[in-house]
């Protein structure tokens, strides 16, 4: 039994040594890991809030896009004068059209969103919030603002502006890489 455990210990130690040989502590990698962890935590927090009103975080985000939230970086890059189509949402979220369609269908069933025909091409369907959807977003907005303010409370206005500029730079760099 002891030799079996020693074999396991040896394999474990060997794998740790190999991983340490292949990877070393790197500030850039640590920054990316922190961003990923923050993203996961924000999704978890969003789930806690949105589930209270019967939505997923992704549905809540779609509703914010349809409301034209001016804080969304997509609207800095893409100018829209008409309600969004599902294909535009898929592009904004960097996901497939079927993925967005499933989320939108859930919002349609819940009465939060409605489809309207495009004024130029009646075959195209655009999406807009119903009054019920608008009311739900208003209900969620106070909690969202309070959370954001608490998260960023230790940053000065100048720090926030610099942080935002850097995040926008990172965003644009990644988007430029895939074009």
């Amino acid at each position: 039994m002891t030799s079996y455990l020693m074999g396991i210990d040896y394999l474990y130690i060997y794998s740790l040594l190999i991983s340490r040989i292949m990877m070393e502590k790197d500030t850039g990698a640590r920054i990316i890991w922190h961003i990923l962890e923050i993203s996961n935590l924000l999704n978890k927090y969003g789930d806690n809030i949105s589930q209270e009103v019967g939505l997923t975080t992704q549905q809540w985000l779609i509703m914010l896009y349809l409301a034209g939230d001016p804080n969304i970086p997509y609207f800095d890059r893409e100018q829209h004068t008409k309600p969004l189509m599902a294909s535009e949402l898929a592009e904004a979220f960097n996901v497939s059209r079927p993925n967005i369609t499933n989320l939108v269908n859930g919002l349609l069933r819940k009465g939060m969103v409605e489809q309207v025909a495009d004024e130029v091409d009646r075959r195209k369907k655009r999406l807009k919030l119903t009054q019920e959807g608008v009311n739900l977003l208003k209900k969620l907005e106070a909690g969202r603002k309070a959370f954001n303010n608490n998260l960023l409370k230790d940053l000065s206005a100048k720090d926030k502006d610099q942080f935002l500029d850097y995040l926008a730079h990172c965003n644009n760099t990644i988007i430029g890489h895939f074009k």
Side-chain angles (χ1 to χ4, degrees):
M1 181 91 162
T2 305
S3 64
Y4 175 72
L5 289 176
M6 287 180 65
I8 291 176
D9 290 343
Y10 173 75
L11 289 174
Y12 176 71
I13 291 169
Y14 179 74
S15 68
L16 286 177
L17 288 172
I18 293 297
S19 69
R20 288 201 174 113
I21 291 168
M22 294 177 5
M23 293 176 258
E24 48 190 62
K25 214 162 194 176
D26 173 71
T27 303
R30 293 182 74 207
I31 289 169
I32 299 302
W33 277 110
H34 277 279
I35 291 170
L36 290 169
E37 190 168 347
I38 289 168
S39 175
N40 289 334
L41 290 168
L42 289 172
N43 278 323
K44 183 177 180 178
Y45 176 78
D47 283 340
N48 290 341
I49 298 299
S50 61
Q51 286 172 359
E52 290 178 12
V53 295
L55 296 176
T56 66
T57 301
Q58 291 84 5
Q59 288 173 326
W60 183 13
L61 294 175
I62 286 172
M63 291 175 66
L64 289 168
Y65 271 79
L66 295 179
D69 184 333
N71 302 298
I72 297 173
Y74 176 76
F75 293 124
D76 292 337
R77 295 186 304 273
E78 305 288 333
Q79 301 303 313
H80 288 275
T81 57
K82 298 178 181 181
L84 296 173
M85 294 184 295
S87 59
E88 293 166 326
L89 282 171
E91 176 190 333
F93 278 77
N94 294 305
V95 298
S96 69
R97 171 73 194 273
N99 186 301
I100 285 294
T101 299
N102 288 335
L103 293 167
V104 167
N105 285 341
L107 290 169
L108 288 166
R109 281 190 300 275
K110 293 174 187 200
M112 300 295 149
V113 170
E114 65 183 349
Q115 290 182 330
V116 294
D118 184 80
E119 294 172 1
V120 176
D121 185 348
R122 311 280 298 158
R123 295 171 296 171
K124 292 182 181 178
K125 300 296 180 205
R126 297 196 172 272
L127 302 164
K128 67 181 229 177
L129 293 175
T130 62
Q131 188 58 50
E132 188 176 348
V134 170
N135 293 342
L136 189 63
L137 277 184
K138 285 179 183 177
K139 181 178 177 181
L140 293 169
E141 190 60 19
R144 180 173 83 136
K145 281 184 179 178
F147 176 82
N148 292 349
N149 289 338
N150 187 50
L151 180 65
L152 303 171
K153 71 182 177 210
D154 295 332
L155 297 178
S156 69
K158 182 180 176 184
D159 290 341
K160 288 176 190 175
D161 287 340
Q162 289 176 331
F163 189 42
L164 180 59
D165 286 345
Y166 186 70
L167 289 173
H169 169 76
C170 290
N171 209 6
N172 292 333
T173 300
I174 293 170
I175 289 168
H177 180 75
F178 289 106
K179 284 189 176 185

